[in-house]
Amino acid sequence: MAATQLTASPVTVSARSLASLRASSAIKFGTLKPGTLKQTQFRSLVVRAASVVAPKYTSIKPLGDRVLVKTKEAEEKTMGGILLPSTAQSKPQGGEVIAVGEGRTIGKNKINIDVPTGAQIIYSKYAGTEVEFNDVKHLILKEDDIVGLLETEDIKDLKPLNDRVFIKVAEAEEKTAGGLLLTETTKEKPSIGTVIAVGPGSLDEEGKRQPLAISTGSTVLYSKYAGNDFKGKDGSNYIALRASDVMAILS
């Protein structure tokens, strides 16, 4: 995930200035203006927060193959109704497309963005740049960072885009070969699953779609730490990854 960084040159800070800075609660990350940090700057100060768009701007127009997404709020409760503290809330990976760029050029062909405004999408976990606009969190990301379209509230209905493959993960082994029962923490993460849906394929050098060699219903072996993991409403585990991360088809 891209982040806004503010760096400062090393200066000497008096104990009095440091105490004053600690006591102040007026600094709001993402709203620091040029010249705000003068005599009380720290060595290698890094602030990671969303870029804040000033109220005088009324719209954001993404360029090229980028899209502007209004992100969903983080889940505040578990499926069982337990209230989660902010540190335990999972970061959302979905949102609504608000605006799209004009597309990109591949060779001599102009390629428009296939994702329409208003579409509900799922995107890669660490993709894009966070932007706060009209007090609402948004994300500017490339079309290729969009994993797929989701028209329902259940991840099992995901429609992958480009060269993405959507897989239902096989159940982890409950016991060892010797019959010992495994706990959740000791179960090995499986890297085998059944293909639920595939994208239309990636674009070649002429801008033409190249269909994937993987079909729905296939049992595949994939890279262990690739892709984005999801939990379905039925408790099943799913993963969305690129076709290049699929190592073999099992039969």
Side-chain angles (χ1 to χ4, degrees):
M1 175 71 69
T4 300
Q5 293 190 352
L6 303 179
T7 58
S9 57
V11 296
T12 302
V13 182
S14 67
R16 188 174 194 180
S17 298
L18 182 59
S20 175
L21 181 60
R22 286 176 175 172
S24 174
S25 60
I27 295 179
K28 180 181 179 181
F29 287 156
T31 57
L32 292 175
K33 298 179 180 179
T36 299
L37 300 181
K38 294 181 179 179
Q39 300 300 320
T40 54
Q41 294 172 324
F42 291 101
R43 181 189 299 271
S44 299
L45 174 64
V46 178
V47 178
R48 298 187 181 276
S51 299
V52 178
V53 178
K56 66 180 181 179
Y57 300 107
T58 58
S59 66
I60 299 178
K61 168 98 176 135
L63 299 177
D65 60 344
R66 290 178 173 82
V67 299
L68 176 67
V69 178
K70 179 182 177 182
T71 58
K72 289 184 177 180
E73 296 292 332
E75 294 291 338
E76 296 183 354
K77 293 183 179 181
T78 65
M79 294 180 65
I82 299 175
L83 189 65
L84 294 170
S86 58
T87 53
Q89 293 174 11
S90 59
K91 191 169 186 178
Q93 283 182 253
E96 178 185 353
V97 176
I98 303 300
V100 300
E102 66 276 12
R104 55 181 169 146
T105 300
I106 299 180
K108 296 181 180 180
N109 298 318
K110 179 68 179 295
I111 308 299
N112 295 322
I113 293 178
D114 290 334
V115 182
T117 57
Q120 298 292 327
I121 65 166
I122 300 295
Y123 49 82
S124 297
K125 194 169 186 178
Y126 301 107
T129 299
E130 292 180 346
V131 177
E132 187 174 316
F133 180 60
N134 290 338
D135 297 325
V136 178
K137 290 183 179 179
H138 292 76
L139 196 67
I140 297 178
L141 45 76
K142 290 192 173 184
E143 183 187 18
D144 191 53
D145 291 323
I146 299 175
V147 174
L149 305 177
L150 187 60
E151 298 174 351
T152 70
E153 293 296 324
D154 198 339
I155 193 64
K156 70 178 180 61
D157 299 319
L158 181 72
K159 296 178 180 179
L161 297 178
N162 298 318
D163 61 342
R164 296 308 204 291
V165 179
F166 190 51
I167 297 170
K168 183 177 182 180
V169 179
E171 295 292 333
E173 294 293 334
E174 300 285 343
K175 294 181 180 181
T176 66
L180 294 177
L181 190 64
L182 294 171
T183 63
E184 288 296 327
T185 55
T186 56
K187 289 179 183 177
E188 184 176 357
K189 181 182 177 182
S191 54
I192 295 175
T194 302
V195 177
I196 303 299
V198 298
S202 57
L203 298 172
D204 62 15
E205 295 179 353
E206 296 181 355
K208 297 179 180 179
R209 290 282 178 192
Q210 297 299 312
L212 301 180
I214 304 167
S215 58
T216 58
S218 300
T219 300
V220 296
L221 176 69
Y222 54 87
S223 298
K224 194 168 186 179
Y225 300 105
N228 294 269
D229 299 304
F230 303 98
K231 176 79 74 173
K233 286 190 173 182
D234 61 353
S236 299
N237 293 312
Y238 297 88
I239 187 169
L241 41 73
R242 294 187 183 277
S244 58
D245 290 319
V246 176
M247 299 185 291
I249 297 176
L250 306 179
S251 60

